[in-house]
């Protein structure tokens, strides 16, 4: 099965209270609307463009989980 890829613009970033190295990101995509994912990138800012893919080995019944694409 082919993986989905979308380009998104970061709209909000929130640091985790429990795990200081993790940030929760909200991004706006065309066609999918607002999506959320977790990242460990420290240089990410609001307004940055990111490329997201759906995670491997997830069934559609579980819903789509997004992650940043490896470059």
């Amino acid at each position: 099965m082919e993986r989905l890829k979308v380009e998104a613009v970061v709209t909000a970033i929130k640091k985790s209270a429990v795990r200081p190295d993790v940030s929760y990101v909200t991004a706006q995509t065309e066609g999918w609307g607002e999506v959320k994912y977790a990242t460990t990138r420290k240089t990410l800012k609001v307004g940055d463009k990111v490329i997201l893919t759906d995670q491997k080995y997830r069934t559609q019944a579980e819903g789509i989980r997004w992650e940043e694409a490896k470059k």
Side-chain angles (χ1 to χ4, degrees):
M1 177 163 62
E2 191 171 324
R3 296 181 66 186
L4 302 171
K5 281 195 177 193
V6 295
E7 188 173 306
V9 177
V10 175
T11 57
I13 301 172
K14 181 181 178 185
K15 298 280 185 188
S16 173
V18 179
R19 294 172 49 194
D21 59 331
V22 174
S23 297
Y24 300 105
V25 179
T26 304
Q28 187 67 33
T29 64
E30 189 173 317
W32 289 95
E34 190 176 85
V35 298
K36 296 182 179 187
Y37 68 98
T39 187
T40 56
R41 274 182 54 188
K42 300 198 185 319
T43 59
L44 199 60
K45 299 178 293 222
V46 173
D48 286 351
K49 291 185 180 182
V50 293
I51 297 175
L52 302 175
T53 62
D54 58 331
Q55 287 182 345
K56 286 183 182 179
Y57 311 118
R58 293 267 182 187
T59 64
Q60 287 295 79
E62 294 179 25
I64 296 176
R65 305 267 193 235
W66 297 99
E67 65 182 1
E68 283 189 64
K70 310 289 188 248
K71 293 185 180 185

